Amino acid sequence: MSWKKQSILSASQFSKEDLLDIIALSEKLEKALETKRNLKLLDDYILATLFFEPSTRTRLSFEAAMHRLGGRVISAVGMQFSSLAKGETLFDTLKMVESYSDICAIRHSVEGASALAAQSIKIPVMNAGDGAGEHPTQGLLDLYTIFKRGFLTKKPLRIAFVGDIRYGRTIHSLVQLLAHFGAAMVFVAPDELQLPEKYQKFLDNSKISYLKTSSIDAIKEVDVGYITRIQEERFIDHREYEKFKDAYIVDHALIEKCQPHIAIMHPLPRLSEVSTDLDNHPSAAYFEEAHNGLYVRMALILGLLGINY
Ligand code: NCD
């Protein structure tokens, strides 16, 4: 079964063929936007964005993607202003979303919330982040960025994930996508923030070689450094967060010791873990990564609605 006309809940649902198809479609849409501002493909469609947790890039790029396709957007953010604040259940809220829109993107603090949503309503649901679970559409735009930097066909592509690997949902998704391309992975984190067992088992079963370390020196050997924020909102004990919040800093001095072609990625928002002194360096890929989200999300919306392009 192809990725089209489904919900997007986890990176695990994609085959390698699906991923290559999504990359090709994203590229085609990126090209089309060079000469047009509105592709006018979705005049009769409405996207609902439902964000129960903070977001800037994800929500705006979903909404911009829908607008560039010629569709319309309805948005529920700041849930303190919605009926949920009056005690309405998530299920009842979703039934409304289903009756007002054709496709929706949901971000929620509870792992599995998007999967529950997809079971409750008939329109396609896109998981825009479910707690410390996954963030598959971010994983796909990360994959597209790696492709555009020319690393996806490298044998093997070497990538270091740095920071909060335990709670970093974008990492959980990207790891599963990169497994299709035989990437060699290094996980750089304090022991307490290392890769959850579930994903280690997945890598073992997929015969992917990986290494766990707490030393940032591992970044010197790789093609891609994928840096993440320590996810303050997921810590039960705030002292733990304080202990780790400045664990790693990637700056110009460190990059000088890395491979000359290295790409530094970050799903953003960044705090101090990627120094602003890198922003104009050729290795800095994080703003182009955010930009790529537009094309990939356009591709996903089209595919899920079953519109061929
Ligand atoms: C990430 C997220 O929400 O998981 N941001 C994003 O969607 N680009 C990463 C983060 O919040 O640290």
Side-chain angles (χ1 to χ4, degrees), residues 177-230:
L177 300 179
L178 284 176
H180 288 289
F181 298 88
M185 308 183 194
V186 189
F187 298 98
V188 181
D191 283 350
E192 294 88 339
L193 300 184
Q194 265 295 350
L195 187 67
E197 181 114 356
K198 170 176 159 188
Y199 299 106
Q200 292 189 43
K201 281 205 180 114
F202 163 80
L203 290 176
D204 290 336
N205 291 337
S206 311
K207 309 256 178 303
I208 296 293
S209 76
Y210 66 94
L211 197 87
K212 292 186 291 175
T213 172
S214 59
S215 167
I216 188 80
D217 281 348
I219 201 176
K220 293 177 187 162
E221 310 300 325
V222 299
D223 309 302
V224 177
Y226 190 97
I227 322 301
T228 56
R229 173 179 70 89
I230 307 295

Side-chain angles (χ1 to χ4, degrees), residues 4-59:
K4 294 183 176 168
K5 296 192 191 172
Q6 319 267 325
S7 286
I8 297 182
L9 305 175
S10 160
S12 63
Q13 74 192 69
F14 298 106
S15 66
K16 186 170 182 182
E17 288 65 41
D18 291 338
L19 299 178
L20 295 175
D21 193 36
I22 291 167
I23 288 172
L25 183 54
S26 305
E27 228 184 353
K28 200 167 161 190
L29 290 161
E30 180 170 0
K31 232 126 196 70
L33 279 195
E34 281 171 16
T35 50
K36 290 195 186 109
R37 304 183 72 75
N38 184 342
L39 304 187
K40 300 201 167 112
L41 295 165
L42 295 183
D43 192 27
D44 303 325
Y45 291 87
I46 296 175
L47 161 75
T49 52
L50 208 61
F51 280 67
F52 298 91
E53 275 195 329
S55 168
T56 304
R57 274 151 295 276
T58 304
R59 185 171 65 82

Side-chain angles (χ1 to χ4, degrees), residues 243-259:
K243 194 163 102 196
F244 298 126
K245 71 178 196 301
D246 299 317
Y248 303 105
I249 292 182
V250 176
D251 58 11
H252 205 278
L254 179 62
I255 292 305
E256 291 297 299
K257 299 185 191 121
C258 294
Q259 302 279 322

Side-chain angles (χ1 to χ4, degrees), residues 57-58 107 135 138 169-170 229 231 233 267-269:
R57 274 151 295 276
T58 304
R107 169 170 290 184
H135 193 347
Q138 176 75 38
R169 57 195 177 191
T170 70
R229 173 179 70 89
Q231 308 276 299
E233 65 275 36
L268 303 176

Side-chain angles (χ1 to χ4, degrees), residues 29 33 39 65 68-69 293-303:
L29 290 161
L33 279 195
L39 304 187
R68 294 278 187 227
L69 289 166
L294 176 69
Y295 312 120
V296 173
R297 290 186 169 119
M298 286 173 76
L300 297 176
I301 292 169
L302 276 186

